[in-house]
Amino acid sequence: MTYLTKPTLHHPTLVKNKAGYTRRDYEGKVSTLCAGCGHDSISAAFIQACWELDIQPHRVAKLSGIGCSSKTPDYFLGNSHGFNTVHGRMPSVLTGANLANRELIYLGVSGDGDSASIGIGQFAHVMRRGVNMTYIVENNGVYGLTKGQFSATADQGSKSKKGVANTDSPVDMVALALQLGATYVGRSFSGDKRQLVPLIKGALAHQGAAFLDVVSPCVAFNNHAGSTKSYDYVREHNEAVSRIDFITTRSEITVDYPEGEVVEVAQHDGSTLRLRKLHPEYDPTNRISAMNYIQEHHAKGEVVTGLLYVDPQPEDLHTHLNTAEMPFNRMGKKELCPGSAMLERINASLR
Amino acid sequence: MNTNTSPKKISAVNDFVVKFANVNGSGSASANEMFAKSILRMGVPVSPRNIFPSNIQGLPTWYEVRVTEKGYLGRRGGVDMMVAMNPQTWDKDIAEIAPGGYLLYDSTKALPASKFRDDINVIGVPLTEICNDTYSDPRERQLFKNIIYVGVLSALLGMDAEAIAELIGEQYKSKEKLLKHNVHALQLGRDYAMAKLTCPLPIRVEKRDNIGDMILVEGNAAAALGMVYGGATVCAWYPITPSSSVAEAFINYCQKLRLDTTNKSKYAIVQAEDEIASIGIVTGAGWNGARAFTATSGPGVSLMTEFIGLAYFAEIPVTIINVQRGGPSTGMPTRTQQADLISSAYAGHGDTKHVLLFPEDPNECFEFGAACLDLADRLQTPVFLMTDLDIGMNQRLCKPFKWDDAREYDRGKVMTYELLESGKEFGRYLDVDGDGVPFRTYPGTHPTKGGYFTRGTTKDAYARYSEAGPDYLYNVQRLLKKFNTAKKLVPQPIERKATQKTRLGALYFGSTSPAMNEAYDALEEQGTHVDLMRLRAFPFPDSVQAFVNAHDTVFVVEQNRDAQMRSMLVNELGINPAKLVPVLNYDGTPITARFIIKEVAERAAGLNVVPLRKGKEAV
Ligand SMILES: Cc1ncc(C[n+]2csc(CCOP(=O)(O)OP(=O)(O)O)c2C)c(N)n1
Ligand code: SF4
Ligand SMILES: [Mg+2]
């Protein structure tokens, strides 16, 4: 079978969200990934997040690089445009797409090989530029698609399936993103839907460069004892700093929070991030202390998860470039061509 | 200061070459340009060229001005007058002067006789001394030295003082003080020359009316303006000589021409981290329906190759301005060549080929630049504007830019919301019109129709994932059909027949044009008749095949070692290689008419083509 289609008949009892879509409208093709692959859980979290946010599916543009992770945009939001670009270069394509039409929601899906190895340069520069997007690295510490070689996020000393130990030090994508100026930075685990879905929702609503590092075990090549990206390892070493709930301006607040540890962060678009701090000393709006905190815990062998940093008033590339409100892809001759009279003036200046 | 023997003196009106040897950053550029432009104002065509090695200590630069009443704008070769202002390159500069030519130098410090040649005419002017006597500020001393030598030259060459004064007036329109100083400096030079030297020399300029409405402009600026007029909104680039000034000119033009009523920008320029990112940004913008371009040179195109391959297969409009130079970064980056033809035409992986346009001058850089944006949209594919350093970085006299206000942008086949609503069938890679070009949709167009997943070749006509052989064949054969469609859409070749029926033909393209036109006249005069065809695009329209068929021997004139255009002709048209005779100039300097005449005449003689009348020897 070369392509898979699913029956798209709607069950009459399927509930619609405020945008008038059923959950099914957010689904895509049937996944071709290995059963149990962490990446599929992340796709499910996207579906959940977009459905809950009442996003019109076709207003999302999905861009990815190359890898098992980068294949996933075909498996959710089936009516949206998607672009499986080249290995490690999704950030530049997303940047160009974003410049062409500032009105869509941009989702960048990548792997640890795609973003931390071949694509680390483009990863760095897209964060520096503050492109308005949600950028997710589905991080399994290996190259899944090419059958299990170490990626640059593999921890030093972690063992491959064949028993070989990785000797290079790891790249921490979260630390990099913070250092490079991302304005929304979180880490989560594909197996922790309760944490992941609100993190994605917050990222989608964020009007700047949002980055999520999601540890996502590869059951085929990196889920054995000795791996630091396995389900068991992450469950044992997960050090969650916060639980967040994402509240849009329209939704009523339904969650009850214990006293004392709740911070509300109002986002630029009017939505609210309601943060339940698990570690009282943790301040998610301070970039420097976030960086320190992560490094300290990393040294102790802990994977810190949650919303690690947010700038509630972010700027994006369009702000920096002072671009017009009208999307470029809607501009025509009237908006763009200076006309023949002006050209005559230019000619005259060249004589 | 003249030497004892009296050398012969080259004598010429409106037909000679002046070369300036300067130190980079000494402010000579604007003075030299003023010299060239004031000859234009006298109605006499000039062709100026910069020569600037990138890698030599002290950074010498040269500026060569060919004064050419007949309007031959190619490089001529040879120097009739050297203005030697750089002691470091003195020996080389002196050696270059033609016997009987002239040397103008700063005679403030005496030089031993061994530093001169006795077959040239030496003209010393104590430039530094004049400056030091007039100005106290060291910067002024340096800057006005340049203007003073322009003043001296203007007297020596019999130039119109008013034309220069007028130019200075325009240049410093709102800067009263600078204006006065410049006019004064010019006058100092002129006065000195009039008083102490024989003016004018046997080489001189005489007023003509040969300029008409022509303009003097760099190809890179023209290409950038083409991007503005053609509706490009996204420019992503990474600096590389000789292409950087395209992006820089685009920025300048946009700042003036592309602001909306709220002073916001109707353009976005990203100086990317490398060429991979540049082309990635352009690809993303093209995919999302904006017109986008990048400007680069050989090493940049190499880096872009993976994306170019993807854009070809995924069928995304992309415009690449390739300002060619000589080879790698430590090759001859500041010299000109046409040596990236094959690497551009076939850039990618798998079976790929791309549309290339070959402008001959800035006017065509503008026109073809805008055309590239239309073609990229119409054909949904990468399109290259193939210029080179010679066109790109030198001011060239050319026809004025033209724009028809009735002209619409050709956005190609785009399925809109309305079309999708009306029930029109959409298959992203479906050949509905038989021209190989499918319809596309912009992301976000319709809630339920027209969405698709973009990838390389693992897809069927409806953009669904497929590794099936027939689906692959459908798409790549359709791409070939599309390439054939391009033949009719690209700028067609231009023929120039010899005055007599001939079995000889010559194909040429791009910056070779002015040298070829000059060579044509000279060859005609010496009785060697050659029909010309100027290629303006790849793929080759059918008329190219017809031209080759109509001749026994066809010279293919190009500026690279491996006869790349000839290979492409053989490869694409199945021409017998023996029929195509390469004429190749590739030392990094622009091709000259002298070179073409010699090569063609020699080979024509070898081919036993008898000249119809006894001609003069090749110049
Ligand atoms: C230029 C280039 N080099 C190599 C490859 C082969 N390749 C495909 S996917 C991949 C690694 C993907 O790893 P990652 O991004 O971590 O994704 P995962 O499969 O683990 O989700 C590689 C090396 C390629 N597609 N392109
Ligand atoms: S190889 Fe690993 S990453 Fe790829 S689909 Fe299988 S489990 Fe997932
Ligand atoms: Mg991986």
Side-chain angles (χ1 to χ4, degrees), chain A residues 39 66-69 87 111-114 118 140 142-146, chain B residues 306:
Chain A
H39 299 348
I66 299 292
C68 296
S69 35
H87 194 22
D112 43 315
D114 200 58
I118 190 169
N140 54 16
V142 290
Y143 297 172
L145 194 61
T146 52
Chain B
E306 187 183 13

Side-chain angles (χ1 to χ4, degrees), chain A residues 3-7 27-33 40 74-76:
Chain A
Y3 42 81
L4 299 148
T5 42
K6 271 200 305 192
E27 293 174 0
K29 300 249 157 56
V30 173
S31 169
T32 57
L33 303 185
D40 277 336
D74 207 14
Y75 313 143
F76 57 87

Side-chain angles (χ1 to χ4, degrees), chain A residues 2-3 58-59 74 81-82 84 96-97 106 122 129 322 324 329 333 335-337 339-340 343 347 350-351, chain B residues 41 213 216 229 258 263 265-266 273 277 281 288-289 401 403 405 407-409 441 443-444 452 454-455 465:
Chain A
T2 52
Y3 42 81
H58 73 293
R59 302 301 290 171
D74 207 14
H81 279 67
N84 218 170
Y106 292 90
Q122 295 214 342
R129 292 191 183 106
N322 190 36
N329 71 352
K333 176 179 139 184
E335 289 80 15
L336 300 174
C337 185
S340 63
L343 198 55
N347 280 329
L350 298 169
R351 288 183 180 123
Chain B
R41 290 291 171 98
D213 63 352
L216 185 73
Y229 271 74
R258 279 284 192 78
N263 257 346
S265 304
K266 291 185 281 186
E273 59 271 27
I281 290 169
N288 211 1
F401 303 131
W403 188 266
D405 287 325
R407 172 174 170 175
E408 297 293 334
Y409 294 157
T441 51
Y452 69 94
T454 309
R455 46 166 81 81
Y465 189 84

Side-chain angles (χ1 to χ4, degrees), chain B residues 103-424:
Chain B
L103 164 69
L104 175 64
Y105 81 109
D106 181 356
S107 60
T108 306
K109 259 196 211 136
L111 286 172
S114 63
K115 283 288 187 190
F116 301 95
R117 271 166 50 190
D118 50 18
D119 61 343
I120 58 171
N121 304 284
V122 178
I123 304 159
V125 176
L127 292 167
T128 306
E129 193 184 301
I130 299 175
C131 279
N132 290 356
D133 289 351
T134 322
Y135 307 101
S136 51
D137 176 40
R139 232 182 66 85
E140 287 188 346
R141 282 179 175 173
Q142 178 54 54
L143 279 180
F144 291 121
K145 194 195 277 184
N146 303 317
I147 305 294
I148 294 173
Y149 73 61
V150 172
V152 171
L153 273 179
S154 75
L156 284 173
L157 301 176
M159 286 161 62
D160 199 349
E162 270 167 43
I164 312 178
E166 185 186 290
L167 263 175
I168 297 180
E170 288 168 22
Q171 202 163 332
Y172 302 104
K173 218 183 297 174
S174 49
K175 296 165 193 148
E176 199 61 38
K177 210 172 133 205
L178 271 175
L179 174 73
K180 243 176 56 198
H181 280 38
N182 275 281
V183 173
H184 179 65
L186 189 82
Q187 204 54 46
L188 275 177
R190 265 188 93 82
D191 290 349
Y192 181 93
M194 291 301 200
K196 304 266 169 77
L197 308 169
T198 331
C199 295
L201 294 172
I203 54 166
R204 64 201 156 79
V205 188
E206 265 178 24
K207 268 196 172 170
R208 293 289 183 271
D209 190 9
N210 292 0
I211 302 297
D213 63 352
M214 287 203 281
I215 55 173
L216 185 73
V217 64
E218 289 171 8
N220 283 354
L225 194 61
M227 294 297 118
V228 174
Y229 271 74
T233 47
V234 176
C235 163
W237 65 297
Y238 188 78
I240 181 169
T241 308
S243 74
S244 300
S245 52
V246 176
E248 285 155 3
F250 186 72
I251 296 169
N252 284 335
Y253 282 128
C254 282
Q255 283 171 347
K256 293 181 199 110
L257 304 173
R258 279 284 192 78
L259 295 179
D260 72 8
T261 47
T262 61
N263 257 346
K264 294 211 167 194
S265 304
K266 291 185 281 186
Y267 65 93
I269 296 161
V270 181
Q271 187 191 312
E273 59 271 27
D274 56 29
E275 285 87 348
I276 305 177
S278 308
I279 190 77
I281 290 169
V282 171
T283 304
W287 175 75
N288 211 1
R291 293 195 148 180
F293 77 98
T294 184
T296 189
S297 194
V301 175
S302 303
L303 284 179
M304 293 177 182
T305 301
E306 187 183 13
F307 259 120
I308 294 169
L310 177 70
Y312 173 81
F313 286 114
E315 299 181 62
I316 295 166
V318 164
T319 294
I320 300 161
I321 300 174
N322 183 358
V323 189
Q324 296 167 92
R325 61 184 214 179
S329 300
T330 50
M332 300 215 288
T334 57
R335 299 303 171 99
T336 196
Q337 274 187 350
Q338 299 174 318
D340 292 331
L341 305 178
I342 290 180
S343 60
S344 296
Y346 303 107
H349 34 266
D351 291 314
T352 48
K353 29 190 175 182
H354 310 294
V355 176
L356 317 179
L357 305 195
F358 305 107
E360 66 165 345
D361 67 0
N363 178 278
E364 282 191 348
C365 285
F366 172 79
E367 191 188 318
F368 289 8
C372 279
L373 295 165
D374 273 355
L375 284 167
D377 271 347
R378 165 61 38 194
L379 295 163
Q380 298 176 25
T381 200
V383 177
F384 288 76
L385 183 70
M386 302 290 291
T387 76
D388 58 26
L389 184 146
D390 189 32
I391 306 177
M393 288 188 72
N394 291 312
Q395 292 187 314
R396 178 74 57 81
L397 199 61
C398 64
K399 282 185 290 181
F401 303 131
K402 281 236 151 33
W403 188 266
D404 177 2
D405 287 325
R407 172 174 170 175
E408 297 293 334
Y409 294 157
D410 179 3
R411 300 307 317 263
K413 300 185 193 176
V414 180
M415 197 79 95
T416 58
Y417 178 87
E418 290 73 25
L419 281 172
L420 290 164
E421 266 299 288
S422 75
K424 198 167 157 111

